[in-house]
Amino acid sequence: MRRSITKLLGLAAATAVIAIGVPALATPASASTAAPASASSYDEEPWGYYYSKYYDDSRARARGSVSLDDDDRLHVRGRLYDKYSPNWLCGYAQFKFETHDGDENYSWARKCGTSGYQNFHYVADDIDNLQVRVCYWDKHDAKKTLCGKWRYIYEVESDDDE
């Protein structure tokens, strides 16, 4: 019995040391992580998830962020997922870049196969609006199908009040 009391007291002492010591050790670590994460001059605005239309019980989906860099170039990045679709369908994300002149340029990302995701990152200059829609790509017919709605993910504020 004497041995079990000694073990119990030793365990209580060790627990007290850990309980008192952990907050003291955690304080400097949390203080060092409180510094600013980066010195970038632009903020990323998240968007999504946006989805394709259903095929049986599956849908392609995409999400990401939009940001402007120091040279006013627009960056759109994110991930495209395609889960549970048949092997002849691929997840497909289409991006429409619009300039102030009304010109449109398109980019796209495609993800075939049900595991994982496809990263994408596009950069464009002088863009006023950016839209995205998520579809499926039909490999048999080589065309987009089951597309969701176009969604604005970036718009320049207009100065029409002048």
Side-chain angles (χ1 to χ4, degrees), residues 81-146:
Y81 300 85
D82 176 25
K83 293 188 178 185
Y84 313 118
S85 66
N87 64 357
W88 52 274
L89 286 178
C90 300
Y92 187 87
Q94 186 177 21
F95 301 90
K96 184 185 344 181
F97 297 88
E98 301 172 23
T99 66
H100 68 281
D101 296 333
D103 295 333
E104 297 177 352
N105 292 309
Y106 293 86
S107 294
W108 55 271
R110 186 168 36 190
K111 167 68 176 108
C112 297
T114 59
S115 64
Y117 54 85
Q118 177 66 44
N119 286 319
F120 55 84
H121 180 198
Y122 302 106
V123 181
D125 290 318
D126 300 323
I127 301 300
D128 281 357
N129 298 304
L130 173 59
Q131 296 180 58
V132 64
R133 73 175 173 178
V134 181
C135 305
Y136 275 112
W137 181 262
D138 184 333
K139 291 194 279 188
H140 294 298
D141 296 333
K143 68 177 187 177
K144 297 180 297 278
T145 186
L146 301 168

Side-chain angles (χ1 to χ4, degrees), residues 46-59:
W47 56 267
Y49 282 105
Y50 295 133
Y51 297 88
S52 68
K53 291 184 179 177
Y54 279 102
Y55 178 82
D56 287 339
D57 288 332
S58 65
R59 290 170 86 179

Side-chain angles (χ1 to χ4, degrees), residues 24 69 157:
D69 64 17
E157 295 179 15

